[in-house]
């Protein structure tokens, strides 16, 4: 009987997580579509920097971290699809952030806490409107923050300096 409950519980959790991710995508999609002006909110600077890195003109403009433009340079072009792909990349990074948060929270605490934290993050208006649908390096901020807190916590728990170093990296 206990095995049956565990299987059905896992199935419900999978359904809940998939439903949450689909709901997140459905809520973020209108913001993604309404973001048609690549010059707004500093997005054009990231897109131009991605093109410059691809053309080997410069690595940074002195005001932006080159991490996102470096990734953008892998598919940078002068076509309109470049902006669309860049927005989809940031949306994918947001989904990766949510998946990482779910995994690490379930590992550190329990599944209920993990589902609650992922739900609150996914439904956060700023996360939906800006972080996940605009071409800005803030898309990585949530992912790196989650990883930093995890390594900091594990460093405290296991008393290992290398985990603290990963938290600060």
């Amino acid at each position: 009987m206990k095995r049956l409950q565990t299987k059905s519980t896992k199935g419900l959790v999978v359904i809940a997580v998939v439903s949450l991710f689909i709901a997140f995508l459905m809520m973020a999609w209108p913001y993604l579509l309404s973001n048609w002006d690549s010059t707004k909110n500093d997005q054009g600077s990231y897109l131009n920097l991605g093109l410059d890195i691809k053309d080997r003109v410069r690595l940074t403009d002195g005001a932006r971290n080159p991490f996102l433009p470096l990734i953008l340079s892998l598919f940078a072009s002068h076509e309109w699809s470049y902006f669309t792909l860049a927005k989809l990349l940031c949306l994918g990074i947001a989904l990766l952030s949510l998946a990482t948060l779910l995994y690490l929270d379930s590992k550190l605490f329990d599944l209920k806490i993990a589902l609650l934290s992922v739900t609150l993050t996914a439904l956060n208006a700023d996360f939906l409107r800006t972080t996940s649908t605009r071409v800005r390096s803030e898309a990585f901020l949530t992912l790196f923050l989650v990883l930093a807190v995890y390594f900091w916590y594990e460093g405290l728990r296991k008393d290992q300096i290398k985990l603290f170093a990963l938290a600060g990296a």
Side-chain angles (χ1 to χ4, degrees), residues 19-134:
S19 298
L20 178 66
F21 280 31
I22 289 171
F24 171 74
L25 286 172
M26 289 175 63
M27 289 185 296
W29 198 254
Y31 293 115
L32 191 79
L33 292 179
S34 68
N35 181 15
W36 56 270
D37 186 1
S38 65
T39 61
K40 286 178 79 174
N41 301 311
D42 213 23
Q43 297 176 109
S45 299
Y46 285 104
L47 295 168
N48 286 333
L49 198 49
L51 284 168
D52 287 348
I53 291 172
K54 184 175 185 168
D55 296 337
R56 298 175 185 243
V57 174
R58 60 185 174 156
L59 185 60
T60 184
D61 60 2
R64 282 161 202 77
N65 185 309
F67 187 65
L68 177 61
L70 189 62
I71 294 171
L72 293 175
S73 71
L74 297 174
F75 57 89
S77 72
H78 292 281
E79 300 296 321
W80 186 251
S81 61
Y82 173 43
F83 179 47
T84 304
L85 288 172
K87 291 189 296 182
L88 290 173
L89 172 72
C90 290
L91 184 63
I93 294 165
L95 285 171
L96 178 64
S97 300
L98 293 174
T100 304
L101 182 62
L102 178 71
Y103 173 74
L104 294 178
D105 278 0
S106 64
K107 187 176 169 184
L108 292 176
F109 306 107
D110 68 357
L111 202 50
K112 290 177 186 173
I113 297 295
L115 285 172
L116 178 65
S117 66
V118 167
T119 301
L120 291 175
T121 304
L123 299 179
N124 179 286
D126 188 53
F127 188 75
L128 273 170
R129 209 174 21 248
T130 58
T131 303
S132 60
T133 59
R134 294 190 181 146

